[in-house]
Amino acid sequence: RGVNDAASIFVLEVKGQAPPARIGFRGTLKGGFENVEWFGRGPHESYCDRFASARVGCFEGTILEQTFKYVRPQENGNKMDTRWMALKRGSPSSGCAGLLIAASGSSATAGGLSMQCHRYALDDFDGPEDKLKQRFKHSGELESRAETDFCVDAAQMGVGGIDSWGNKPLPQHMLAADRHLEWSFMLRPYTAEEVPDQQAASFKFSALAHLG
């Protein structure tokens, strides 16, 4: 029942290498998590160069539904400007109904963080430079699993696609080599008694996301 606050300060120093595609935190939850609710951009995925059609609001669905299966498995399902995301267990055990991930401190007041969740291994989405060596070459080959992978990102590069995926995203949508980032978020398990209905959950999580 404890609350874990994670605050990180990174100074990105790229020495002869390309900047990373994302800077953030990723984790894996054991089996049993089935649904997700979040307050952020939705209902579809959004990125720094693909977000105009994704409005800010409260959305929900199954975790399996959050994965968009492009023909070739690749980065997908990101939710920009997310204040909080609740990963819900199908059958609450030991009093735990789910896990709340909430932006806190300056990250909450600045409009949230990028978050995503999948019932697929994240490593199966992004292949090596030589895409012919990618483990799964077609999304129909992806294998769902009991565990849930999730990401909480302070920054991501754009997805590009300006010339049919031939070039990298525009310069303003890349991560600068000297960019300074600070972000914080909270991980908090919650019980079924704390979420008696959807509306109460939305108000409660929204308040929690702005604490600290």
Side-chain angles (χ1 to χ4, degrees):
R1 292 290 316 282
V3 176
N4 291 320
D5 290 293
S8 301
I9 300 176
F10 281 77
V11 177
L12 182 61
E13 295 182 354
V14 179
K15 299 179 180 179
Q17 300 292 329
R22 71 195 322 148
I23 299 175
F25 175 89
R26 58 184 287 184
T28 300
L29 301 175
K30 68 178 184 178
F33 291 84
E34 301 290 342
N35 301 300
V36 60
E37 184 180 0
W38 75 96
F39 179 50
R41 290 194 179 271
H44 51 267
E45 64 183 16
S46 54
Y47 291 84
C48 65
D49 55 354
R50 293 288 187 281
F51 68 88
S53 64
R55 69 185 187 277
V56 174
C58 187
F59 306 94
E60 63 180 335
T62 67
I63 296 175
L64 273 173
E65 292 172 339
Q66 308 314 308
T67 298
F68 189 91
K69 293 187 176 181
Y70 291 97
V71 175
R72 177 182 64 78
Q74 56 196 275
E75 167 65 32
N76 73 92
N78 189 61
K79 310 175 193 309
M80 281 187 64
D81 301 329
T82 300
R83 281 67 163 179
W84 56 261
M85 181 170 70
L87 299 170
K88 303 180 179 182
R89 295 183 61 85
S91 299
S93 62
S94 302
C96 179
L99 177 70
L100 171 68
I101 307 171
S104 62
S106 60
S107 294
T109 57
L113 298 166
S114 288
M115 301 184 192
Q116 56 181 276
C117 59
H118 302 274
R119 288 284 296 278
Y120 299 90
L122 294 175
D123 291 337
D124 290 341
F125 294 150
D126 293 313
E129 287 294 326
D130 184 354
K131 300 307 179 186
L132 294 177
K133 297 180 179 179
Q134 187 165 345
R135 180 186 178 193
F136 295 110
K137 299 180 178 62
H138 192 282
S139 288
E141 302 171 344
L142 287 172
E143 300 173 355
S144 62
R145 57 183 194 158
E147 296 82 7
T148 295
D149 278 9
F150 68 92
C151 295
V152 184
D153 292 327
Q156 279 189 353
M157 63 181 285
V159 293
I162 298 172
D163 59 351
S164 188
W165 314 108
N167 287 323
K168 293 181 178 180
L170 295 173
Q172 62 266 36
H173 298 141
M174 299 290 288
L175 297 185
D178 58 351
R179 185 171 179 179
H180 181 87
L181 295 168
E182 296 185 23
W183 80 97
S184 61
F185 63 94
M186 175 181 67
L187 299 174
R188 181 186 185 276
Y190 63 90
T191 67
E193 289 73 22
E194 292 178 293
V195 285
D197 57 59
Q198 182 179 352
Q199 288 187 337
S202 298
F203 284 113
K204 184 174 293 186
F205 289 154
S206 181
L208 282 169
H210 290 85
L211 287 177

